[in-house]
Amino acid sequence: MNARPLSGPDYLLRGFTIIRQPGIRLFVAIPLLINFIIFGAFTTLTLEAMSGWINQVVEWLPTWLDFLRWILWPLAVILVLAIVMYIFSTVANIIAAPFNGLLAEKVEEMLTGQEVSGRETIAMAIASFPKSIGRECQKLLYYLGFAILTLIASFVISPLAPLLWFALNAWMMAIEYCDYPMDNHKLSFKDARKRIASHRGTSASFGALVMLGTMVPILNLFIMPAAVCGGTLMWVERFKDKA
């Protein structure tokens, strides 16, 4: 087992390798399809709304300032990317949660050769949707608590605000994707957090790379299943036997 404290990125890179395995592709396809649908819908709706907003702003401008249209559009695209990427990741994780749990189960079975009692089929994954939503709500409440503290800290040490927010979101990415195999094994969310924190450097570096991946268009469509596979690898190699 790799014991380097900052080996988290290795797990994500290995996750990209796993999603191409023949026995795993089917269980990767559903989260990918969800990603494509949500991303397309969010981008289309947001661009349409932004287009109307920019046109209204331009109409208020004098004719001689019409050139600002070409400045506002690039700025709007950047803003849309930032907003859509955040909302997209949150919504996609909630909707895809039961299928991510099924993917984590199949990856663990492939890695260990042992069956995992949990969601055995896609139909059972769909049936477990209410339970998965409850788990995702726990993560969201956990995030909101730290988000409030981070917001307060941002006013106190404003120059460090971007780093604080990035660190918080990176940590949440680690919790989000390492939690799926733990949930499959009926671990409480509290116990899952303790195990993830037991390898803080690895978990944080893993989450940081996942966070960066969500900010890259196209790559962010594939980051979810790769992160689930990487998180499952961490569970098997680091967290599973941790008391």
Side-chain angles (χ1 to χ4, degrees):
M1 182 179 68
N2 192 341
R4 289 183 294 125
L6 297 179
S7 59
D10 291 342
Y11 285 104
L12 181 60
L13 296 177
R14 290 165 66 191
F16 275 106
T17 300
I18 290 177
I19 64 175
R20 300 196 298 268
Q21 297 295 321
I24 300 299
R25 290 175 189 166
L26 173 63
F27 303 101
V28 171
I30 297 177
L32 273 181
L33 180 61
I34 291 173
N35 276 2
F36 277 107
I37 293 174
I38 295 175
F39 181 75
F42 270 55
T43 302
T44 300
L45 293 174
T46 308
L47 282 175
E48 288 179 355
M50 192 65 69
S51 175
W53 175 77
I54 292 175
N55 289 332
Q56 289 180 357
V57 172
V58 171
E59 288 176 1
W60 294 338
L61 296 174
T63 305
W64 62 277
L65 289 178
D66 191 59
F67 70 92
L68 288 178
R69 180 190 298 269
W70 306 106
I71 298 175
L72 288 173
W73 266 108
L75 292 176
V77 170
I78 294 173
L79 179 62
V80 166
L81 281 175
I83 294 174
V84 168
M85 292 310 106
Y86 177 77
I87 299 177
F88 158 69
S89 297
T90 302
V91 174
N93 280 328
I94 291 174
I95 295 177
F99 305 107
N100 285 339
L102 179 60
L103 173 59
E105 180 176 315
K106 297 306 176 183
V107 170
E108 183 177 348
E109 289 177 351
M110 182 191 74
L111 293 172
T112 65
Q114 300 175 352
E115 289 189 1
V116 178
S117 57
R119 289 159 283 206
E120 298 292 342
T121 65
I122 292 175
M124 292 178 67
I126 295 174
S128 70
F129 190 74
K131 175 181 176 295
S132 298
I133 290 298
R135 187 78 166 199
E136 292 302 309
C137 287
Q138 284 184 287
K139 297 175 188 176
L140 183 58
L141 290 174
Y142 176 80
Y143 173 78
L144 289 176
F146 280 97
I148 293 172
L149 294 176
T150 304
L151 180 61
I152 294 172
S154 297
F155 288 109
V156 178
I157 46 176
S158 54
L160 297 179
L163 290 177
L164 292 176
W165 283 105
F166 182 84
L168 172 61
N169 288 319
W171 181 247
M172 284 306 304
M173 288 295 174
I175 289 178
E176 179 68 42
Y177 293 110
C178 292
D179 179 60
Y180 290 115
M182 299 189 194
D183 188 24
N184 286 341
H185 285 270
K186 315 298 183 186
L187 269 69
S188 69
F189 184 51
K190 181 179 180 180
D191 191 13
R193 296 200 313 268
K194 287 182 178 179
R195 296 201 186 198
I196 295 169
S198 68
H199 289 276
R200 194 176 299 274
T202 299
S203 300
S205 58
F206 170 78
L209 190 59
V210 173
M211 182 64 189
L212 290 173
T214 64
M215 300 168 66
V216 180
I218 307 302
L219 177 61
N220 61 3
L221 296 174
F222 299 90
I223 201 75
M224 178 196 290
V228 172
C229 294
T232 305
L233 275 166
M234 292 175 66
W235 159 255
V236 171
E237 297 183 2
R238 290 178 179 266
F239 304 138
K240 190 172 184 179
D241 297 325
K242 192 79 176 178

PDB file of all heavy atoms in Angstrom, residues 72-90:
ATOM      1  N   LEU A  72     -19.111  42.763 -22.379  1.00  0.00           N
ATOM      2  CA  LEU A  72     -20.014  42.107 -21.439  1.00  0.00           C
ATOM      3  C   LEU A  72     -20.167  40.620 -21.734  1.00  0.00           C
ATOM      4  O   LEU A  72     -20.264  39.805 -20.809  1.00  0.00           O
ATOM      5  CB  LEU A  72     -21.395  42.778 -21.469  1.00  0.00           C
ATOM      6  CG  LEU A  72     -21.482  44.172 -20.825  1.00  0.00           C
ATOM      7  CD1 LEU A  72     -22.843  44.785 -21.084  1.00  0.00           C
ATOM      8  CD2 LEU A  72     -21.225  44.068 -19.329  1.00  0.00           C
ATOM      9  N   TRP A  73     -20.174  40.250 -23.010  1.00  0.00           N
ATOM     10  CA  TRP A  73     -20.388  38.843 -23.340  1.00  0.00           C
ATOM     11  C   TRP A  73     -19.278  37.932 -22.821  1.00  0.00           C
ATOM     12  O   TRP A  73     -19.565  36.905 -22.188  1.00  0.00           O
ATOM     13  CB  TRP A  73     -20.577  38.674 -24.853  1.00  0.00           C
ATOM     14  CG  TRP A  73     -22.021  38.688 -25.232  1.00  0.00           C
ATOM     15  CD1 TRP A  73     -22.694  39.676 -25.885  1.00  0.00           C
ATOM     16  CD2 TRP A  73     -22.986  37.680 -24.947  1.00  0.00           C
ATOM     17  NE1 TRP A  73     -24.008  39.352 -26.031  1.00  0.00           N
ATOM     18  CE2 TRP A  73     -24.222  38.125 -25.470  1.00  0.00           C
ATOM     19  CE3 TRP A  73     -22.939  36.446 -24.300  1.00  0.00           C
ATOM     20  CZ2 TRP A  73     -25.387  37.372 -25.371  1.00  0.00           C
ATOM     21  CZ3 TRP A  73     -24.095  35.694 -24.197  1.00  0.00           C
ATOM     22  CH2 TRP A  73     -25.309  36.163 -24.726  1.00  0.00           C
ATOM     23  N   PRO A  74     -17.988  38.256 -23.051  1.00  0.00           N
ATOM     24  CA  PRO A  74     -16.940  37.389 -22.476  1.00  0.00           C
ATOM     25  C   PRO A  74     -17.010  37.309 -20.961  1.00  0.00           C
ATOM     26  O   PRO A  74     -16.808  36.235 -20.376  1.00  0.00           O
ATOM     27  CB  PRO A  74     -15.636  38.062 -22.937  1.00  0.00           C
ATOM     28  CG  PRO A  74     -16.017  38.827 -24.152  1.00  0.00           C
ATOM     29  CD  PRO A  74     -17.409  39.298 -23.897  1.00  0.00           C
ATOM     30  N   LEU A  75     -17.301  38.447 -20.304  1.00  0.00           N
ATOM     31  CA  LEU A  75     -17.425  38.441 -18.850  1.00  0.00           C
ATOM     32  C   LEU A  75     -18.600  37.570 -18.417  1.00  0.00           C
ATOM     33  O   LEU A  75     -18.522  36.845 -17.420  1.00  0.00           O
ATOM     34  CB  LEU A  75     -17.624  39.872 -18.323  1.00  0.00           C
ATOM     35  CG  LEU A  75     -16.420  40.813 -18.467  1.00  0.00           C
ATOM     36  CD1 LEU A  75     -16.792  42.217 -18.003  1.00  0.00           C
ATOM     37  CD2 LEU A  75     -15.231  40.287 -17.673  1.00  0.00           C
ATOM     38  N   ALA A  76     -19.694  37.635 -19.185  1.00  0.00           N
ATOM     39  CA  ALA A  76     -20.868  36.825 -18.863  1.00  0.00           C
ATOM     40  C   ALA A  76     -20.567  35.344 -18.993  1.00  0.00           C
ATOM     41  O   ALA A  76     -20.991  34.535 -18.171  1.00  0.00           O
ATOM     42  CB  ALA A  76     -22.030  37.202 -19.779  1.00  0.00           C
ATOM     43  N   VAL A  77     -19.802  34.976 -20.032  1.00  0.00           N
ATOM     44  CA  VAL A  77     -19.455  33.565 -20.234  1.00  0.00           C
ATOM     45  C   VAL A  77     -18.626  33.041 -19.063  1.00  0.00           C
ATOM     46  O   VAL A  77     -18.859  31.936 -18.552  1.00  0.00           O
ATOM     47  CB  VAL A  77     -18.683  33.387 -21.557  1.00  0.00           C
ATOM     48  CG1 VAL A  77     -18.110  31.978 -21.659  1.00  0.00           C
ATOM     49  CG2 VAL A  77     -19.605  33.660 -22.733  1.00  0.00           C
ATOM     50  N   ILE A  78     -17.678  33.856 -18.593  1.00  0.00           N
ATOM     51  CA  ILE A  78     -16.855  33.461 -17.442  1.00  0.00           C
ATOM     52  C   ILE A  78     -17.733  33.288 -16.206  1.00  0.00           C
ATOM     53  O   ILE A  78     -17.594  32.329 -15.445  1.00  0.00           O
ATOM     54  CB  ILE A  78     -15.750  34.514 -17.180  1.00  0.00           C
ATOM     55  CG1 ILE A  78     -14.766  34.531 -18.352  1.00  0.00           C
ATOM     56  CG2 ILE A  78     -15.012  34.196 -15.877  1.00  0.00           C
ATOM     57  CD1 ILE A  78     -13.744  35.633 -18.269  1.00  0.00           C
ATOM     58  N   LEU A  79     -18.658  34.231 -16.005  1.00  0.00           N
ATOM     59  CA  LEU A  79     -19.558  34.156 -14.858  1.00  0.00           C
ATOM     60  C   LEU A  79     -20.444  32.923 -14.944  1.00  0.00           C
ATOM     61  O   LEU A  79     -20.651  32.215 -13.955  1.00  0.00           O
ATOM     62  CB  LEU A  79     -20.417  35.421 -14.787  1.00  0.00           C
ATOM     63  CG  LEU A  79     -21.446  35.488 -13.653  1.00  0.00           C
ATOM     64  CD1 LEU A  79     -20.753  35.441 -12.298  1.00  0.00           C
ATOM     65  CD2 LEU A  79     -22.291  36.755 -13.774  1.00  0.00           C
ATOM     66  N   VAL A  80     -20.955  32.660 -16.144  1.00  0.00           N
ATOM     67  CA  VAL A  80     -21.813  31.489 -16.342  1.00  0.00           C
ATOM     68  C   VAL A  80     -21.050  30.210 -16.021  1.00  0.00           C
ATOM     69  O   VAL A  80     -21.561  29.309 -15.350  1.00  0.00           O
ATOM     70  CB  VAL A  80     -22.342  31.449 -17.788  1.00  0.00           C
ATOM     71  CG1 VAL A  80     -22.938  30.074 -18.101  1.00  0.00           C
ATOM     72  CG2 VAL A  80     -23.398  32.521 -17.997  1.00  0.00           C
ATOM     73  N   LEU A  81     -19.811  30.114 -16.494  1.00  0.00           N
ATOM     74  CA  LEU A  81     -19.012  28.927 -16.216  1.00  0.00           C
ATOM     75  C   LEU A  81     -18.836  28.704 -14.720  1.00  0.00           C
ATOM     76  O   LEU A  81     -18.988  27.588 -14.224  1.00  0.00           O
ATOM     77  CB  LEU A  81     -17.640  29.045 -16.888  1.00  0.00           C
ATOM     78  CG  LEU A  81     -17.592  28.749 -18.385  1.00  0.00           C
ATOM     79  CD1 LEU A  81     -16.201  29.029 -18.932  1.00  0.00           C
ATOM     80  CD2 LEU A  81     -17.997  27.316 -18.669  1.00  0.00           C
ATOM     81  N   ALA A  82     -18.540  29.794 -13.997  1.00  0.00           N
ATOM     82  CA  ALA A  82     -18.324  29.675 -12.553  1.00  0.00           C
ATOM     83  C   ALA A  82     -19.597  29.216 -11.842  1.00  0.00           C
ATOM     84  O   ALA A  82     -19.573  28.316 -11.000  1.00  0.00           O
ATOM     85  CB  ALA A  82     -17.855  31.009 -11.986  1.00  0.00           C
ATOM     86  N   ILE A  83     -20.725  29.835 -12.198  1.00  0.00           N
ATOM     87  CA  ILE A  83     -21.997  29.514 -11.540  1.00  0.00           C
ATOM     88  C   ILE A  83     -22.472  28.116 -11.915  1.00  0.00           C
ATOM     89  O   ILE A  83     -22.845  27.300 -11.069  1.00  0.00           O
ATOM     90  CB  ILE A  83     -23.072  30.553 -11.900  1.00  0.00           C
ATOM     91  CG1 ILE A  83     -22.701  31.923 -11.328  1.00  0.00           C
ATOM     92  CG2 ILE A  83     -24.447  30.120 -11.389  1.00  0.00           C
ATOM     93  CD1 ILE A  83     -23.629  33.032 -11.749  1.00  0.00           C
ATOM     94  N   VAL A  84     -22.436  27.836 -13.227  1.00  0.00           N
ATOM     95  CA  VAL A  84     -22.944  26.551 -13.704  1.00  0.00           C
ATOM     96  C   VAL A  84     -22.115  25.392 -13.168  1.00  0.00           C
ATOM     97  O   VAL A  84     -22.649  24.355 -12.782  1.00  0.00           O
ATOM     98  CB  VAL A  84     -22.984  26.532 -15.250  1.00  0.00           C
ATOM     99  CG1 VAL A  84     -23.235  25.117 -15.765  1.00  0.00           C
ATOM    100  CG2 VAL A  84     -24.071  27.461 -15.752  1.00  0.00           C
ATOM    101  N   MET A  85     -20.791  25.562 -13.120  1.00  0.00           N
ATOM    102  CA  MET A  85     -19.937  24.480 -12.632  1.00  0.00           C
ATOM    103  C   MET A  85     -20.264  24.128 -11.178  1.00  0.00           C
ATOM    104  O   MET A  85     -20.316  22.960 -10.802  1.00  0.00           O
ATOM    105  CB  MET A  85     -18.457  24.849 -12.739  1.00  0.00           C
ATOM    106  CG  MET A  85     -17.912  24.955 -14.146  1.00  0.00           C
ATOM    107  SD  MET A  85     -18.297  23.521 -15.175  1.00  0.00           S
ATOM    108  CE  MET A  85     -19.562  24.201 -16.228  1.00  0.00           C
ATOM    109  N   TYR A  86     -20.511  25.158 -10.369  1.00  0.00           N
ATOM    110  CA  TYR A  86     -20.810  24.907  -8.949  1.00  0.00           C
ATOM    111  C   TYR A  86     -22.176  24.234  -8.798  1.00  0.00           C
ATOM    112  O   TYR A  86     -22.305  23.208  -8.131  1.00  0.00           O
ATOM    113  CB  TYR A  86     -20.775  26.214  -8.170  1.00  0.00           C
ATOM    114  CG  TYR A  86     -21.145  26.040  -6.719  1.00  0.00           C
ATOM    115  CD1 TYR A  86     -20.240  25.518  -5.805  1.00  0.00           C
ATOM    116  CD2 TYR A  86     -22.427  26.371  -6.270  1.00  0.00           C
ATOM    117  CE1 TYR A  86     -20.588  25.332  -4.479  1.00  0.00           C
ATOM    118  CE2 TYR A  86     -22.782  26.185  -4.951  1.00  0.00           C
ATOM    119  CZ  TYR A  86     -21.855  25.673  -4.052  1.00  0.00           C
ATOM    120  OH  TYR A  86     -22.224  25.486  -2.751  1.00  0.00           O
ATOM    121  N   ILE A  87     -23.192  24.826  -9.418  1.00  0.00           N
ATOM    122  CA  ILE A  87     -24.542  24.274  -9.296  1.00  0.00           C
ATOM    123  C   ILE A  87     -24.609  22.890  -9.940  1.00  0.00           C
ATOM    124  O   ILE A  87     -25.231  21.961  -9.409  1.00  0.00           O
ATOM    125  CB  ILE A  87     -25.579  25.219  -9.941  1.00  0.00           C
ATOM    126  CG1 ILE A  87     -25.566  26.570  -9.235  1.00  0.00           C
ATOM    127  CG2 ILE A  87     -26.971  24.610  -9.883  1.00  0.00           C
ATOM    128  CD1 ILE A  87     -26.503  27.591  -9.838  1.00  0.00           C
ATOM    129  N   PHE A  88     -23.962  22.773 -11.090  1.00  0.00           N
ATOM    130  CA  PHE A  88     -23.944  21.491 -11.801  1.00  0.00           C
ATOM    131  C   PHE A  88     -23.375  20.379 -10.937  1.00  0.00           C
ATOM    132  O   PHE A  88     -23.954  19.293 -10.832  1.00  0.00           O
ATOM    133  CB  PHE A  88     -23.124  21.673 -13.083  1.00  0.00           C
ATOM    134  CG  PHE A  88     -22.565  20.395 -13.641  1.00  0.00           C
ATOM    135  CD1 PHE A  88     -23.392  19.431 -14.199  1.00  0.00           C
ATOM    136  CD2 PHE A  88     -21.201  20.166 -13.617  1.00  0.00           C
ATOM    137  CE1 PHE A  88     -22.874  18.263 -14.711  1.00  0.00           C
ATOM    138  CE2 PHE A  88     -20.676  19.003 -14.133  1.00  0.00           C
ATOM    139  CZ  PHE A  88     -21.522  18.050 -14.676  1.00  0.00           C
ATOM    140  N   SER A  89     -22.242  20.637 -10.287  1.00  0.00           N
ATOM    141  CA  SER A  89     -21.612  19.608  -9.455  1.00  0.00           C
ATOM    142  C   SER A  89     -22.514  19.206  -8.301  1.00  0.00           C
ATOM    143  O   SER A  89     -22.658  18.020  -7.988  1.00  0.00           O
ATOM    144  CB  SER A  89     -20.273  20.124  -8.911  1.00  0.00           C
ATOM    145  OG  SER A  89     -19.374  20.377  -9.962  1.00  0.00           O
ATOM    146  N   THR A  90     -23.146  20.204  -7.662  1.00  0.00           N
ATOM    147  CA  THR A  90     -24.011  19.926  -6.515  1.00  0.00           C
ATOM    148  C   THR A  90     -25.232  19.095  -6.911  1.00  0.00           C
ATOM    149  O   THR A  90     -25.531  18.067  -6.304  1.00  0.00           O
ATOM    150  CB  THR A  90     -24.466  21.246  -5.865  1.00  0.00           C
ATOM    151  OG1 THR A  90     -23.324  22.003  -5.470  1.00  0.00           O
ATOM    152  CG2 THR A  90     -25.339  20.973  -4.647  1.00  0.00           C
TER     153      THR A  90
END
